[in-house]
């Protein structure tokens, strides 16, 4: 054999590269058939044989291993924690239709037609109808066709990096196939666990003597937040795609879709699973029919749903309809009646919340409702309890409101006679935790403990709220530790938390030196936060996460907010008289101001954004309406700029509108502005208005 016939090292490597590429393509094709199309073309043994062949080839030629290889789905390293990810496009929530009957769908269609200015003579609106999955929202970022990051929804603006876990889900492509893949695209969908997979997982847990999971959603949530991908890979997760986040615009090589349905079809072509139940419907009658059909099939579906979602199909109309607060006008979640069961009410206890509210809680004989075993259920307040006519020993109907919060609906009216000598429930005169007087303000339905931070229950709940993920995000400070810190008098007020020492913590139950040091590190890390998180962490009554963000954005600094009166507070978007009064009352209390000052003195800090005085703002007192797609700004970015300049951004055009800012594909709002003679500006004109005079 001549030397020229001997294969060179380069030739061998080229052959190995070609073979590896062919094997990867084959395995990816078979996996797509099995996991996405549910139509395998080869037996499992054949897939395993080819998979092992690729493993051997990559072991012999490590330089040929690619990130999207089927062998690279489970990475071996264990992460120290989940890194934060700021979403390029916020993951907004969808409004829930509270009317669970057919009229809920009809009301949504009526709102859409009214917003679009349609009359009875106009044709029905075309919608996309899809199941509302009971899972976790996920954002998948692809660059040049390869999966580079997966992040949870988090608070809608900042999520957690869970790429290492998402890579283990076989339904999610590591590399997109097909044509027209843009340079950057974020695909959004739901990670969930099929019912059969959940049962098999619990069977395995039971056989191994491990803790059983309560329901598929909890099992999926636990798997997604695993730090070890190898453990996560043992949890059978699935995925459905339903929308997009950030995507390269059409003018830069990105895709252009006319409808949401076309978008979903393209996602399927790129390799993503889309729920087979998704369909296009027309008008309210077909919305109702879809809701009823899915409700009838709910029990037999391979995955859990708690309702359906309707979306306007036309993307042009979606842009025209826009958003209200943080929810799209063009979509709604239409839920089903929550599941209900009958059990016995064994006792009524009183629970004290972080705001001092006393809530009667029913202690129940254990009952399985909506995928979870329920032993406690809220009775809301004493007036609600009277209305429901329930007493200890009664057979009661329990449901999980919204499939989440257990509540007692009432007693079973079956003609049975209540056993004698059962006294009616009365709210205690003294707090069951601290003994302080219980009060009820005039016109209020809730009773409250007057002890404030003197009450250990309020301290515990305030501490847990302060440390929660959406507040100061103090990892490791959970309920049991909070109980010890308060019960052992280590914490009397929130600022005390930043004075805790390793030596103090290490002496607590189930806290060694390492755990104590980790908590101290987490406390130090939490000091660098945002004004919005800090405000939410304070636990001001009626101030949730969204309101805290609005307050921070409007006032810019804590001092400005603390100095605001009720009228100034009501200038904030979505803050009415009740919320404004709560905020003003909170900061008017000397002890609350002292807590704030002590927290700042302990090192809690954030970046201020000092706004100009309202009288000097260029658009103070002006009302502006946005419509269409602006060249360089999203709707939210434009709104933020306008509000920072003092304008009120409204959703509809009227004679009181000062300006309409119109972009591409502006619709009925532009036409109405022109008819009323309202000045119309483009983005450049808007930016010119934003600059202060001089």
């Amino acid at each position: 054999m001549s030397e020229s016939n001997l294969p060179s090292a380069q030739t061998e490597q080229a052959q190995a590269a070609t073979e590896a590429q062919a094997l990867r393509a084959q395995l990816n094709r078979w996996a797509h058939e099995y996991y996405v199309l549910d139509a395998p073309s080869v037996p499992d043994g054949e897939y395993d044989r080819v998979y092992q062949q690729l493993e051997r080839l990559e072991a012999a030629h490590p330089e040929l291993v690619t990130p999207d290889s089927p062998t690279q789905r489970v990475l071996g390293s264990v992460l120290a924690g989940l890194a934060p990810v700021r979403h390029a496009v916020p993951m907004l929530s969808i409004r829930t239709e509270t009317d669970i009957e057919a009229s809920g769908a009809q009301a949504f269609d009526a709102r859409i037609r009214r917003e679009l200015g349609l009359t009875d003579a106009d044709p029905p609106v075309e919608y996309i109808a899809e199941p509302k999955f009971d899972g976790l929202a996920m954002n998948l970022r692809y660059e040049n066709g390869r999966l580079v990051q997966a992040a949870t929804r988090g608070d809608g603006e900042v999520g957690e990096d869970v790429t290492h876990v998402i890579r283990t889900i076989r339904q999610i492509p590591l590399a997109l196939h097909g044509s027209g893949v843009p340079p950057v695209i974020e695909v959004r969908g739901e990670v969930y666990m099929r019912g059969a997979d959940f049962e098999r997982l619990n069977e395995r847990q039971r056989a191994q003597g491990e803790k059983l999971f309560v329901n598929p959603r909890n099992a999926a949530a636990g798997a997604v937040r695993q730090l070890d991908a190898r453990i996560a890979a043992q949890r059978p997760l699935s995925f459905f795609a339903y929308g997009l986040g950030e995507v390269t615009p059409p003018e830069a090589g990105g895709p252009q879709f006319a409808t949401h349905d076309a978008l979903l079809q393209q996602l399927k072509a790129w390799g993503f699973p889309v729920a087979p139940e998704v369909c296009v419907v027309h008008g309210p009658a077909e919305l109702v029919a879809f809701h009823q059909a899915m409700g009838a099939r709910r029990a037999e579906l391979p995955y859990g749903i708690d309702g359906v979602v309707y979306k306007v199909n036309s993307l042009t109309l979606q842009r025209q309809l826009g958003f209200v607060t943080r929810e799209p006008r063009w979509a709604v979640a239409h839920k089903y009646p929550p599941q209900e069961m009958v059990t016995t009410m064994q006792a009524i206890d009183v629970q004290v919340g972080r705001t001092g509210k006393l809530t009667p809680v029913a202690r129940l004989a254990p009952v399985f409702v909506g995928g979870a075993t329920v032993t406690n259920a809220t009775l809301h307040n004493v007036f609600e309890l009277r209305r429901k006519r329930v007493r200890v020993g009664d057979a009661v109907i329990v449901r999980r409101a919204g499939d989440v919060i257990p509540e007692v609906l009432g007693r079973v009216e079956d003609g049975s006679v209540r056993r004698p000598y059962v006294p009616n429930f009365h709210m205690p005169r003294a707090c069951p935790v601290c003994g302080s007087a219980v009060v009820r303000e005039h016109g209020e339905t809730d009773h409250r403990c007057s002890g404030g931070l003197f009450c250990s229950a309020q301290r515990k709940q305030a501490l847990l709220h302060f440390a929660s993920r959406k507040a100061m995000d103090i990892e490791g400070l959970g309920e049991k530790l909070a109980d010890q810190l308060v019960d052992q008098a280590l914490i009397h007020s929130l600022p005390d938390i930043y004075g805790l020492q390793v030596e103090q913590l290490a002496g607590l139950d189930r806290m060694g030196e390492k755990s104590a040091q980790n908590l101290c590190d987490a406390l130090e890390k939490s000091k660098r936060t945002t004004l919005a998180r800090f405000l939410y962490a304070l636990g001001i009554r009626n101030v949730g996460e969204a309101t805290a963000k609005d307050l921070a954005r409007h006032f810019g600094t804590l001092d400005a907010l603390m100095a605001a009166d009720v009228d100034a507070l009501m200038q904030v978007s979505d803050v009415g008289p009740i919320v404004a009064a709560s905020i003003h009352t909170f900061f008017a209390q000397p002890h609350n101001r002292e807590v704030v000052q002590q927290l700042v003195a302990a090192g809690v800090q954030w970046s201020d954004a000092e706004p100009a005085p309202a009288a000097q703002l260029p658009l103070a007192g002006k009302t502006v309406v946005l419509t269409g797609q602006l060249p360089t700004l999203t709707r939210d970015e434009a709104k933020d700029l306008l509000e920072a300049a003092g304008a009120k951004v409204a959703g509809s055009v009227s004679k009181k509108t000062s300006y309409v800012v119109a972009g591409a594909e502006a619709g009925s709002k532009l036409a109405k502005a022109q008819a009323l003679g309202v000045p119309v500006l483009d983005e450049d004109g808007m930016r010119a208005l934003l600059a202060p005079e001089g």
Side-chain angles (χ1 to χ4, degrees):
M1 191 173 187
S2 67
E3 184 176 340
S4 61
N5 290 330
L6 294 174
S8 66
Q10 286 184 335
T11 303
E12 284 186 7
Q13 188 173 19
Q15 290 174 343
T18 301
E19 183 181 0
Q21 185 177 2
L23 292 174
R24 283 194 292 268
Q26 183 67 75
L27 289 169
N28 284 331
R29 186 160 54 251
W30 286 343
H32 183 71
E33 292 171 349
Y34 185 93
Y35 292 106
V36 179
L37 303 181
D38 198 24
S41 60
V42 295
D44 292 349
E46 179 63 11
Y47 180 94
D48 293 341
R49 184 188 67 79
V50 177
Y51 184 93
Q52 292 162 8
Q53 185 180 345
L54 177 61
E55 276 189 319
R56 290 192 297 269
L57 186 61
E58 290 180 344
H61 299 274
E63 70 280 2
L64 298 180
V65 177
T66 61
D68 60 333
S69 173
T71 64
Q72 299 302 298
R73 281 195 175 271
V74 182
L75 304 179
S77 61
V78 180
L79 302 185
L82 300 177
V85 174
R86 179 165 291 279
H87 298 301
V89 176
M91 296 184 73
L92 303 176
S93 58
I94 294 177
R95 192 182 70 83
T96 298
E97 174 56 63
T98 55
D99 181 355
I100 58 178
E101 304 299 330
S103 50
Q106 295 162 347
F108 172 64
D109 177 72
R111 283 196 301 273
I112 293 297
R113 295 185 69 85
R114 186 166 58 250
E115 288 285 346
L116 294 175
L118 301 178
T119 67
D120 292 342
D122 292 305
V125 177
E126 188 176 83
Y127 299 99
I128 277 283
E130 57 191 42
K132 185 179 183 298
F133 313 109
D134 194 13
L136 293 90
M138 191 63 55
N139 186 77
L140 309 176
R141 184 177 179 87
Y142 290 80
E143 295 178 2
N144 298 318
R146 295 182 184 275
L147 177 66
V148 297
Q149 188 181 73
T152 61
R153 181 183 184 276
D155 64 3
E157 294 181 1
V158 178
E160 293 175 314
D161 190 332
V162 290
T163 312
H164 64 298
V165 170
I166 296 307
R167 291 176 63 88
T168 69
I169 302 177
R170 301 282 178 175
Q171 287 181 312
I172 294 176
L174 299 180
L176 305 184
H177 55 262
S179 61
V181 177
V184 173
I185 187 168
E186 291 182 347
V187 176
R188 291 179 173 174
E190 200 88 357
V191 172
Y192 67 99
M193 188 175 290
R194 292 171 176 261
D197 291 336
F198 172 73
E199 295 298 334
R200 284 193 290 269
L201 174 62
N202 261 351
E203 286 175 9
R204 190 170 73 234
Q205 293 288 106
R206 190 179 294 109
Q208 295 173 352
E210 300 286 345
K211 179 182 176 181
L212 300 184
F213 295 100
V214 175
N215 55 47
R217 191 187 189 283
N218 285 2
V224 166
R225 302 195 78 250
Q226 271 289 337
L227 299 178
D228 190 341
R230 290 168 297 188
I231 296 176
Q234 299 171 14
R235 311 269 180 92
L237 299 176
S238 298
F239 179 78
F240 277 135
Y242 53 59
L244 297 179
E246 184 182 27
V247 60
T248 302
E251 59 268 23
Q256 189 165 9
F257 306 106
T259 65
H260 195 84
D261 181 51
L263 183 159
L264 294 179
Q265 298 308 316
Q266 182 60 72
L267 290 180
K268 289 169 66 175
W270 283 332
F272 293 97
V274 173
E277 292 79 13
V278 175
C279 64
V280 176
V281 299
H282 301 83
E286 292 186 16
L287 289 177
V288 171
F290 181 84
H291 184 260
Q292 293 174 342
M294 291 300 297
R297 295 180 54 196
R298 185 181 180 188
E300 64 188 50
L301 289 173
Y303 51 85
I305 66 170
D306 56 4
V308 298
V309 175
Y310 311 133
K311 300 174 182 175
V312 173
N313 195 25
S314 166
L315 298 189
T316 298
L317 293 183
Q318 286 188 11
R319 288 189 289 269
Q320 181 178 330
L321 289 162
F323 297 80
V324 54
T325 313
R326 289 171 177 80
E327 300 169 343
R329 282 194 177 90
W330 42 265
V332 73
H334 192 188
K335 290 203 170 185
Y336 292 115
Q339 297 181 25
E340 301 172 359
M341 294 294 288
V342 174
T343 187
T344 303
M345 188 163 71
Q346 300 175 329
I348 300 176
D349 295 339
V350 175
Q351 188 176 73
V352 183
R354 67 176 175 86
T355 63
K357 176 184 173 182
L358 271 63
T359 302
V361 176
R363 304 303 181 194
L364 307 168
V367 61
F368 195 73
V369 186
T373 299
V374 173
T375 56
N376 305 320
T378 182
L379 290 163
H380 298 291
N381 56 62
V382 70
F383 299 97
E384 189 73 358
L385 192 151
R386 294 277 189 276
R387 186 183 67 79
K388 292 173 179 176
R389 302 190 301 113
V390 293
R391 297 189 186 184
V392 174
D394 285 350
V396 294
I397 303 168
V398 179
R399 76 172 179 184
R400 296 183 68 205
D403 289 346
V404 177
I405 305 169
E407 69 169 332
V408 172
L409 288 183
R411 71 186 295 253
V412 178
E413 303 289 353
D414 57 358
S416 59
V417 179
R418 180 181 279 136
R419 62 188 178 87
Y421 309 115
V422 178
N424 210 342
F425 174 83
H426 293 278
M427 194 65 78
R429 294 179 179 273
C431 172
V433 175
C434 72
S436 297
V438 171
V439 298
R440 180 172 67 86
E441 296 175 7
H442 179 71
E444 290 275 336
T445 57
D446 295 326
H447 290 71
R448 296 183 183 277
C449 166
S450 60
L453 289 176
F454 170 74
C455 178
S456 63
Q458 292 182 65
R459 287 205 300 273
K460 290 175 184 177
Q461 294 301 318
L463 180 59
L464 286 172
H465 176 75
F466 185 84
S468 63
R469 188 165 61 89
K470 293 181 179 180
M472 300 302 287
D473 194 16
I474 303 172
E475 189 171 352
L477 207 167
E479 187 172 350
K480 292 183 179 178
L481 180 57
D483 287 345
Q484 292 187 77
L485 292 173
V486 173
D487 292 342
Q488 297 191 27
L490 293 177
I491 289 183
H492 297 88
S493 185
L494 290 178
D496 294 344
I497 192 174
Y498 289 111
L500 294 171
Q501 303 296 318
V502 172
E503 297 75 21
Q504 292 174 297
L505 294 167
L508 298 176
D509 185 35
R510 301 176 70 179
M511 283 286 288
E513 271 198 25
K514 184 176 180 181
S515 297
Q517 185 61 58
N518 288 342
L519 180 58
C520 285
D521 292 343
L523 286 167
E524 192 63 31
K525 180 182 176 183
S526 74
K527 290 180 181 179
R528 295 194 63 84
T529 186
T530 64
L531 178 55
R533 279 180 173 270
F534 181 76
L535 293 174
Y536 178 63
L538 291 176
I540 305 169
R541 191 178 172 199
N542 296 317
V543 175
E545 185 188 0
T547 302
K549 290 179 180 177
D550 288 337
L551 291 168
R553 188 179 297 116
H554 184 89
F555 288 100
T557 68
L558 179 62
D559 288 342
L561 172 60
M562 292 174 67
D565 59 17
V566 171
D567 289 338
L569 289 165
M570 287 178 61
Q571 299 303 309
V572 180
S573 175
D574 295 330
V575 171
I578 294 176
V579 177
S582 292
I583 299 166
H584 185 261
T585 300
F586 179 89
F587 286 118
Q589 304 301 313
H591 62 272
N592 288 335
R593 285 179 170 266
E594 185 178 352
V595 165
V596 169
Q597 291 165 359
Q598 290 175 353
L599 286 169
V600 173
V604 177
Q605 56 184 294
W606 55 86
S607 297
D608 282 338
E610 185 77 32
Q616 298 177 16
L617 295 176
L619 295 181
K622 303 294 185 182
T623 300
V624 182
V625 173
L626 294 164
T627 183
Q629 193 169 9
L630 300 179
T632 68
L633 295 172
T634 66
R635 184 71 62 91
D636 285 342
E637 289 169 344
K639 182 181 179 183
D640 288 346
L641 290 173
L642 290 164
E643 289 178 341
K648 176 184 177 183
V649 179
S652 58
V653 179
S654 70
K655 292 181 179 179
K656 296 182 179 180
T657 303
S658 306
Y659 303 100
V660 167
V661 179
E665 300 179 351
S668 59
K669 293 177 185 176
L670 174 58
K672 189 171 182 180
Q674 292 169 336
L676 294 174
V678 175
V680 177
L681 308 172
D682 59 10
E683 182 178 322
D684 290 339
M686 182 195 78
R687 289 184 181 276
L689 283 179
L690 296 175
E693 291 184 11

PDB file of all heavy atoms in Angstrom, residues 67 71-78 163-164 167-168 227-230:
ATOM      1  N   PRO A  67     -22.266  22.986  21.213  1.00  0.00           N
ATOM      2  CA  PRO A  67     -23.242  23.256  22.282  1.00  0.00           C
ATOM      3  C   PRO A  67     -24.621  22.664  22.022  1.00  0.00           C
ATOM      4  O   PRO A  67     -25.354  22.374  22.968  1.00  0.00           O
ATOM      5  CB  PRO A  67     -23.303  24.795  22.329  1.00  0.00           C
ATOM      6  CG  PRO A  67     -22.026  25.250  21.710  1.00  0.00           C
ATOM      7  CD  PRO A  67     -21.684  24.222  20.675  1.00  0.00           C
ATOM      8  N   THR A  71     -25.767  15.214  23.045  1.00  0.00           N
ATOM      9  CA  THR A  71     -25.032  14.735  24.227  1.00  0.00           C
ATOM     10  C   THR A  71     -24.772  15.842  25.235  1.00  0.00           C
ATOM     11  O   THR A  71     -24.327  15.568  26.348  1.00  0.00           O
ATOM     12  CB  THR A  71     -23.679  14.146  23.804  1.00  0.00           C
ATOM     13  OG1 THR A  71     -22.877  15.188  23.221  1.00  0.00           O
ATOM     14  CG2 THR A  71     -23.855  13.029  22.794  1.00  0.00           C
ATOM     15  N   GLN A  72     -25.035  17.093  24.863  1.00  0.00           N
ATOM     16  CA  GLN A  72     -24.703  18.225  25.725  1.00  0.00           C
ATOM     17  C   GLN A  72     -25.911  18.817  26.438  1.00  0.00           C
ATOM     18  O   GLN A  72     -25.842  19.928  26.956  1.00  0.00           O
ATOM     19  CB  GLN A  72     -24.006  19.320  24.893  1.00  0.00           C
ATOM     20  CG  GLN A  72     -22.711  18.876  24.264  1.00  0.00           C
ATOM     21  CD  GLN A  72     -21.713  18.401  25.314  1.00  0.00           C
ATOM     22  OE1 GLN A  72     -21.297  19.168  26.179  1.00  0.00           O
ATOM     23  NE2 GLN A  72     -21.345  17.136  25.251  1.00  0.00           N
ATOM     24  N   ARG A  73     -26.999  18.095  26.465  1.00  0.00           N
ATOM     25  CA  ARG A  73     -28.190  18.640  27.123  1.00  0.00           C
ATOM     26  C   ARG A  73     -28.023  18.697  28.638  1.00  0.00           C
ATOM     27  O   ARG A  73     -28.549  19.582  29.292  1.00  0.00           O
ATOM     28  CB  ARG A  73     -29.425  17.816  26.768  1.00  0.00           C
ATOM     29  CG  ARG A  73     -29.968  18.156  25.382  1.00  0.00           C
ATOM     30  CD  ARG A  73     -31.364  17.622  25.180  1.00  0.00           C
ATOM     31  NE  ARG A  73     -31.914  18.058  23.906  1.00  0.00           N
ATOM     32  CZ  ARG A  73     -32.593  19.183  23.721  1.00  0.00           C
ATOM     33  NH1 ARG A  73     -32.779  20.009  24.737  1.00  0.00           N
ATOM     34  NH2 ARG A  73     -33.069  19.505  22.532  1.00  0.00           N
ATOM     35  N   VAL A  74     -27.330  17.750  29.229  1.00  0.00           N
ATOM     36  CA  VAL A  74     -27.126  17.727  30.672  1.00  0.00           C
ATOM     37  C   VAL A  74     -25.679  18.074  30.960  1.00  0.00           C
ATOM     38  O   VAL A  74     -24.785  17.297  30.670  1.00  0.00           O
ATOM     39  CB  VAL A  74     -27.476  16.359  31.278  1.00  0.00           C
ATOM     40  CG1 VAL A  74     -27.305  16.403  32.790  1.00  0.00           C
ATOM     41  CG2 VAL A  74     -28.893  15.963  30.919  1.00  0.00           C
ATOM     42  N   LEU A  75     -25.440  19.265  31.508  1.00  0.00           N
ATOM     43  CA  LEU A  75     -24.093  19.702  31.837  1.00  0.00           C
ATOM     44  C   LEU A  75     -23.785  19.336  33.288  1.00  0.00           C
ATOM     45  O   LEU A  75     -24.655  19.381  34.149  1.00  0.00           O
ATOM     46  CB  LEU A  75     -23.952  21.210  31.613  1.00  0.00           C
ATOM     47  CG  LEU A  75     -24.323  21.672  30.197  1.00  0.00           C
ATOM     48  CD1 LEU A  75     -24.179  23.178  30.075  1.00  0.00           C
ATOM     49  CD2 LEU A  75     -23.448  20.979  29.157  1.00  0.00           C
ATOM     50  N   GLY A  76     -22.544  19.000  33.577  1.00  0.00           N
ATOM     51  CA  GLY A  76     -22.201  18.378  34.850  1.00  0.00           C
ATOM     52  C   GLY A  76     -22.024  19.301  36.036  1.00  0.00           C
ATOM     53  O   GLY A  76     -22.149  18.877  37.163  1.00  0.00           O
ATOM     54  N   SER A  77     -21.721  20.565  35.845  1.00  0.00           N
ATOM     55  CA  SER A  77     -21.397  21.429  36.974  1.00  0.00           C
ATOM     56  C   SER A  77     -22.649  21.825  37.751  1.00  0.00           C
ATOM     57  O   SER A  77     -23.734  21.938  37.195  1.00  0.00           O
ATOM     58  CB  SER A  77     -20.680  22.683  36.482  1.00  0.00           C
ATOM     59  OG  SER A  77     -21.507  23.414  35.601  1.00  0.00           O
ATOM     60  N   VAL A  78     -22.480  22.039  39.063  1.00  0.00           N
ATOM     61  CA  VAL A  78     -23.566  22.478  39.929  1.00  0.00           C
ATOM     62  C   VAL A  78     -23.383  23.975  40.197  1.00  0.00           C
ATOM     63  O   VAL A  78     -22.324  24.407  40.642  1.00  0.00           O
ATOM     64  CB  VAL A  78     -23.567  21.699  41.263  1.00  0.00           C
ATOM     65  CG1 VAL A  78     -24.705  22.180  42.153  1.00  0.00           C
ATOM     66  CG2 VAL A  78     -23.679  20.210  40.993  1.00  0.00           C
ATOM     67  N   THR A 163     -30.773  28.429  32.220  1.00  0.00           N
ATOM     68  CA  THR A 163     -30.376  27.802  30.955  1.00  0.00           C
ATOM     69  C   THR A 163     -29.960  26.356  31.163  1.00  0.00           C
ATOM     70  O   THR A 163     -30.287  25.474  30.352  1.00  0.00           O
ATOM     71  CB  THR A 163     -29.222  28.595  30.316  1.00  0.00           C
ATOM     72  OG1 THR A 163     -29.555  29.987  30.315  1.00  0.00           O
ATOM     73  CG2 THR A 163     -28.972  28.131  28.895  1.00  0.00           C
ATOM     74  N   HIS A 164     -29.212  26.091  32.245  1.00  0.00           N
ATOM     75  CA  HIS A 164     -28.687  24.741  32.488  1.00  0.00           C
ATOM     76  C   HIS A 164     -29.808  23.719  32.640  1.00  0.00           C
ATOM     77  O   HIS A 164     -29.647  22.557  32.247  1.00  0.00           O
ATOM     78  CB  HIS A 164     -27.796  24.742  33.732  1.00  0.00           C
ATOM     79  CG  HIS A 164     -28.518  25.074  35.000  1.00  0.00           C
ATOM     80  ND1 HIS A 164     -29.138  26.301  35.202  1.00  0.00           N
ATOM     81  CD2 HIS A 164     -28.749  24.347  36.136  1.00  0.00           C
ATOM     82  CE1 HIS A 164     -29.703  26.306  36.398  1.00  0.00           C
ATOM     83  NE2 HIS A 164     -29.491  25.143  36.976  1.00  0.00           N
ATOM     84  N   ARG A 167     -31.945  23.346  29.047  1.00  0.00           N
ATOM     85  CA  ARG A 167     -31.249  22.525  28.046  1.00  0.00           C
ATOM     86  C   ARG A 167     -31.615  21.050  28.172  1.00  0.00           C
ATOM     87  O   ARG A 167     -31.478  20.288  27.212  1.00  0.00           O
ATOM     88  CB  ARG A 167     -29.734  22.694  28.183  1.00  0.00           C
ATOM     89  CG  ARG A 167     -29.211  24.065  27.776  1.00  0.00           C
ATOM     90  CD  ARG A 167     -27.714  24.176  28.030  1.00  0.00           C
ATOM     91  NE  ARG A 167     -26.977  23.213  27.219  1.00  0.00           N
ATOM     92  CZ  ARG A 167     -26.550  23.436  25.974  1.00  0.00           C
ATOM     93  NH1 ARG A 167     -26.786  24.607  25.411  1.00  0.00           N
ATOM     94  NH2 ARG A 167     -25.907  22.514  25.305  1.00  0.00           N
ATOM     95  N   THR A 168     -32.072  20.615  29.359  1.00  0.00           N
ATOM     96  CA  THR A 168     -32.404  19.200  29.554  1.00  0.00           C
ATOM     97  C   THR A 168     -33.777  18.841  29.000  1.00  0.00           C
ATOM     98  O   THR A 168     -34.115  17.667  28.920  1.00  0.00           O
ATOM     99  CB  THR A 168     -32.372  18.840  31.058  1.00  0.00           C
ATOM    100  OG1 THR A 168     -33.466  19.474  31.730  1.00  0.00           O
ATOM    101  CG2 THR A 168     -31.061  19.278  31.697  1.00  0.00           C
ATOM    102  N   LEU A 227     -30.293  23.773  41.002  1.00  0.00           N
ATOM    103  CA  LEU A 227     -28.946  24.244  40.666  1.00  0.00           C
ATOM    104  C   LEU A 227     -28.133  23.161  39.967  1.00  0.00           C
ATOM    105  O   LEU A 227     -27.141  23.457  39.302  1.00  0.00           O
ATOM    106  CB  LEU A 227     -28.222  24.701  41.938  1.00  0.00           C
ATOM    107  CG  LEU A 227     -28.882  25.873  42.687  1.00  0.00           C
ATOM    108  CD1 LEU A 227     -28.097  26.206  43.943  1.00  0.00           C
ATOM    109  CD2 LEU A 227     -28.980  27.094  41.789  1.00  0.00           C
ATOM    110  N   ASP A 228     -28.544  21.907  40.118  1.00  0.00           N
ATOM    111  CA  ASP A 228     -27.839  20.784  39.492  1.00  0.00           C
ATOM    112  C   ASP A 228     -28.673  20.275  38.317  1.00  0.00           C
ATOM    113  O   ASP A 228     -29.756  19.730  38.498  1.00  0.00           O
ATOM    114  CB  ASP A 228     -27.635  19.665  40.515  1.00  0.00           C
ATOM    115  CG  ASP A 228     -26.703  18.565  40.006  1.00  0.00           C
ATOM    116  OD1 ASP A 228     -26.510  18.473  38.777  1.00  0.00           O
ATOM    117  OD2 ASP A 228     -26.170  17.810  40.832  1.00  0.00           O
ATOM    118  N   ALA A 229     -28.151  20.452  37.106  1.00  0.00           N
ATOM    119  CA  ALA A 229     -28.893  20.047  35.910  1.00  0.00           C
ATOM    120  C   ALA A 229     -29.125  18.546  35.868  1.00  0.00           C
ATOM    121  O   ALA A 229     -30.103  18.077  35.284  1.00  0.00           O
ATOM    122  CB  ALA A 229     -28.151  20.496  34.654  1.00  0.00           C
ATOM    123  N   ARG A 230     -28.239  17.765  36.503  1.00  0.00           N
ATOM    124  CA  ARG A 230     -28.405  16.305  36.472  1.00  0.00           C
ATOM    125  C   ARG A 230     -29.638  15.875  37.261  1.00  0.00           C
ATOM    126  O   ARG A 230     -30.322  14.927  36.885  1.00  0.00           O
ATOM    127  CB  ARG A 230     -27.140  15.636  37.032  1.00  0.00           C
ATOM    128  CG  ARG A 230     -25.932  15.779  36.107  1.00  0.00           C
ATOM    129  CD  ARG A 230     -24.653  15.389  36.786  1.00  0.00           C
ATOM    130  NE  ARG A 230     -24.359  16.264  37.917  1.00  0.00           N
ATOM    131  CZ  ARG A 230     -23.210  16.242  38.593  1.00  0.00           C
ATOM    132  NH1 ARG A 230     -22.256  15.392  38.234  1.00  0.00           N
ATOM    133  NH2 ARG A 230     -23.010  17.063  39.604  1.00  0.00           N
TER     134      ARG A 230
END
